Amino acid sequence: MQEKTKRQILIITIAVAVLGLLCYFASKIGSQNLTESSELAATIIFQVRLPRIVAATVLGGALALSGYLLQIFFGNPIAGPYVLGISSGAKLVVALVMVFFLNQGISISSFGMVLAAFVGSLISMTVVLLLSAKVKNMSMLVVCGVMIGYICSAITDFVVTFANDSNIVNLHNWSLGSFSGMNWPNVWIGAGIVGLCLVLSFIFSKPIGAYQLGENYARNMGVNITLLRVGLIGLSSLLSATVTAFAGPISFVGIAVPHIMRSVLKTDRPLVMVPACFVGGAIITLVCDTIARSAFAPTEVSISSVTAVFLAPVVIYLMVKRRGDR
Amino acid sequence: MGSMETRGLSVGYEKIVVDDFTVDIKEGQILALIGPNGAGKSTVLKTITGQIKKIGGKIYIGDEEESRISPQEMARRLSMVTTERIHPNIMTCRELVATGRYPYTGILGILSEHDNKKVDEAIELVNGLSIADMDFSKISDGQRQRIMLARAICQEPDFLILDEPTSFLDLQYKIDILSIIKRLARENKVAVIMSIHELEFVPAIADAVVAIEGTKVRAYGKPEDIITGDNIESLYHMKKGMGKVAASGLWDYAKSLRTLLD
C-alpha cells in the first residue's frame, strides 16, 4: 500500500475516534447541569440529548456527502445543496405539505416528510439544471441558486405566517434549521436512508472518479454517463432532502466540508473522500449544534447561524482562491 | 489486436460535417488525418471514439460493428487523447495515468500489483518519471500532453485515437511525442488514428494519410502520393503555384524530421 493511502486511512480513523469522543462530551453538555446520576439525568441524556447528537452526526455527514456529490456533478468545488437552493426547495414543499395536512387535522409521518422534501429538492434541482444549461459560469449559477433559495424561503415564510395552527410554532423553528426535539424513531429512519445513500455512493466511487476527468474520458472508460448522472442527482437530492425533512435547511456544511477534507487529505479520490466527507460533516455539524444549544442556554440559536459563522469564511476563501487561479 | 474500417461514414451534429468517410487501418499502422481548420477532423475522431453519434455508415472493429461491442469491451480496445483540457482537483500525474486502468480494475477501482506495473511502464515510456509525483495542474502543456498519452497507453488499447497531439508544443516536444507514438505502433502493434496540422511530420510518422475538406474526403493514400503541391493548393485554398513552393520545402524538412524521429 502506498504511503499516501496509509496516511489517509490514518487520518480518517483518527477523525472517527474524535467523533466518538465529541459525542461523549456533547452528551455531558446541556442547559441542565447533570452532575449526579439520577433517573431524571438518565432520561435527559437518553431521550433528549443522545437522539439529537446522533441526528446531528448522521445528518451532518449526509449534508457534506450531498455537497461532495454535487461538486462532482458540476465539476466545481463551489457547489452545495444550500447555496444552490436545493435545501430551500425541500423546505418549501415540506412546509406546504405540512400546513395543508395540519389544516385537515392530519399529521404526516416522517417518511411523508422525507418524500415531500425529496420532491422539493428535485424541483429546485431541475430549475438549477435548466439554468446551468444557460449560465455556463459556476459563480453565476451559485448566485441563481441563492436567488432560488430566497424565493423559496419567502414563500415558506408566507405559508408559515398565514397558517393558523399552534403547531406552526414548531414549523417556524424548523424552517430556520434546528436539531431540537429529535426523537429516536426519526433518528432511525434518517439513519437508514442516509446509510443506504452512503453505501451506494461508496460503491459508485469508481465511476465517480472517472467522471472527474470529464464526461468524454469517462465514457471512453466505459462509464454509463446517463446512469451516473441520474445517480449523482438522485443521491445528493435524497441526502439533502432527508436532512431538510428532519432538521430544516442547514447552511454551508455541504459546500465547505468537502473542501476542508480535500485540503487535509490532499486528494479528491472518491474512494477516500466519500467516507471522509461523511465523517468531517458529522464532526463539524455536531460541534456547531452543541454550540447552538449550549452557548446561550437555555435560549437556542439556529444551527445555520453557527455553521454560517464558521463555514461561510471557508466559502469566501474558496471563491477568492479560484479567481486567483485564473 | 485488430483492424478498423469505416464504410461510408457520415459524421456531424445536426448537419453533416464529413460525408462518405471510408478508410481502413491495420494493427501497427498510423493513419494521419489532415485538412484545414474546421474541416471536421475532430468530428470524425469524436464519432470513432463514440462521443457523438454517427449520422450514417458503418464502423467495423475487426469483423464486428462498433455499435455491437459493449462500452466496457470498447474501453479495453480503444483509448484516446482529445484537445479538451481537463481540470482534476489535486491529482498527481501518476494518479491521472492510473485512471487509464479503469476498465481492468474491480468494483472499487483499487489497483493491483499488475496495474501499478502497467502505470509505471506507461510513465516510463513517455519519459515522465521525473514529473510522476507532481500535481497535474502544475505542469506545462507539453508535459501534460505526455501524461495524457501515458494514460491512454496504460489503458492497453488496440486503437489509439489522438486529436492534434502535437498542437501548441515546441519542436522538441513534438518530436518526443511523435516518436513515442511511432514506437507504440511498431512495438506494441497499436493502430493509431491521429489528426495533425504539421504536414512536415506526416511522412515521418504516417503509413497512410487521409485529407478532408468541404465535407468530403479529398485524397487518401501514402504520404508521398498525398502531400503534393496540387493537393496542398486545393486543400488550403492557396493561389495557383503556391502549393508547389510549399511542397518542395516541406519535403526537404520532412526528410530531416524522419531522420530525427527514427
Side-chain angles (χ1 to χ4, degrees), chain A residues 15-290:
Chain A
V16 172
V18 167
L19 180 62
L21 281 176
L22 284 172
C23 286
Y24 174 75
F25 286 119
S27 73
K28 298 283 174 204
I29 300 169
S31 51
Q32 291 288 319
N33 196 4
L34 309 169
T35 39
E36 85 274 33
S37 51
S38 64
E39 205 159 305
L40 178 70
T43 311
I44 288 178
I45 287 178
F46 283 104
Q47 296 306 324
V48 179
R49 287 184 192 168
L50 267 186
R52 182 169 181 161
I53 287 166
V54 176
T57 305
V58 170
L59 298 179
L63 266 183
L65 183 56
S66 168
Y68 180 64
L69 297 178
L70 285 171
Q71 291 173 9
I72 301 276
F73 183 87
F74 287 104
N76 199 300
I78 310 172
Y82 189 81
V83 288
L84 290 177
I86 295 162
S87 301
S88 309
K91 173 172 94 165
L92 173 60
V93 174
V94 171
L96 285 174
V97 167
M98 267 174 80
V99 167
F100 177 78
F101 280 103
L102 284 174
N103 282 344
Q104 314 274 313
I106 312 164
S107 65
I108 54 166
S109 70
S110 308
F111 273 118
M113 298 269 283
V114 174
L115 187 67
F118 188 52
V119 170
S121 298
L122 288 180
I123 292 171
S124 274
M125 193 71 209
T126 310
V127 175
V128 171
L129 285 178
L130 289 175
L131 284 171
S132 75
K134 299 261 173 218
V135 192
K136 293 288 173 210
N137 181 320
M138 191 67 199
S139 306
M140 282 311 293
L141 190 64
V142 169
V143 172
C144 291
V146 171
M147 294 303 142
I148 296 170
Y150 270 111
I151 295 168
C152 293
S153 293
I155 302 173
T156 311
D157 279 348
F158 277 126
V159 174
V160 171
T161 311
F162 291 110
N164 49 357
D165 194 287
S166 55
N167 273 313
I168 293 307
V169 180
N170 292 333
L171 196 56
H172 181 70
N173 280 337
W174 163 85
S175 75
L176 293 174
S178 168
F179 285 104
S180 77
M182 203 41 98
N183 57 33
W184 281 119
N186 281 354
V187 169
W188 294 133
I189 291 168
I193 298 171
V194 172
L196 182 71
C197 291
L198 177 63
V199 171
L200 284 176
S201 307
F202 191 71
I203 292 173
F204 258 145
S205 57
K206 184 179 167 185
I208 288 173
Y211 196 73
Q212 287 173 319
L213 300 192
E215 208 180 303
N216 291 328
Y217 281 105
R219 189 180 293 112
N220 180 237
M221 289 183 242
V223 175
N224 184 335
I225 300 293
T226 315
L227 184 70
L228 181 66
R229 286 170 74 96
V230 169
L232 285 173
I233 293 292
L235 285 172
S236 58
S237 299
L238 185 56
L239 282 164
S240 78
T242 310
V243 179
T244 310
F246 292 118
I250 296 169
S251 61
F252 302 119
V253 174
I255 187 168
V257 171
H259 172 69
I260 295 170
M261 297 320 283
R262 256 194 294 270
S263 314
V264 172
L265 293 164
K266 304 215 171 16
T267 186
D268 203 15
R269 245 182 107 190
L271 198 63
V272 177
M273 282 293 284
V274 165
C277 284
F278 188 84
V279 178
I283 291 176
I284 286 174
T285 311
L286 178 60
V287 170
C288 289
D289 182 52
T290 310

Side-chain angles (χ1 to χ4, degrees), chain B residues 46-91:
Chain B
K46 280 179 181 164
T47 309
I48 293 173
T49 55
Q51 290 174 59
I52 54 177
K53 285 204 165 67
K54 61 176 189 239
I55 295 177
K58 299 252 159 79
I59 302 173
Y60 289 97
I61 307 282
D63 297 330
E64 247 179 315
E65 224 190 302
E66 189 184 41
S67 52
R68 301 178 65 111
I69 303 174
S70 76
Q72 289 74 28
E73 171 68 16
M74 274 307 281
R76 290 167 182 241
R77 303 195 64 180
L78 183 148
S79 69
M80 62 180 197
V81 179
T82 67
T83 48
E84 169 193 18
R85 291 190 91 168
I86 57 163
H87 305 278
N89 257 318
I90 341 179
M91 203 179 227

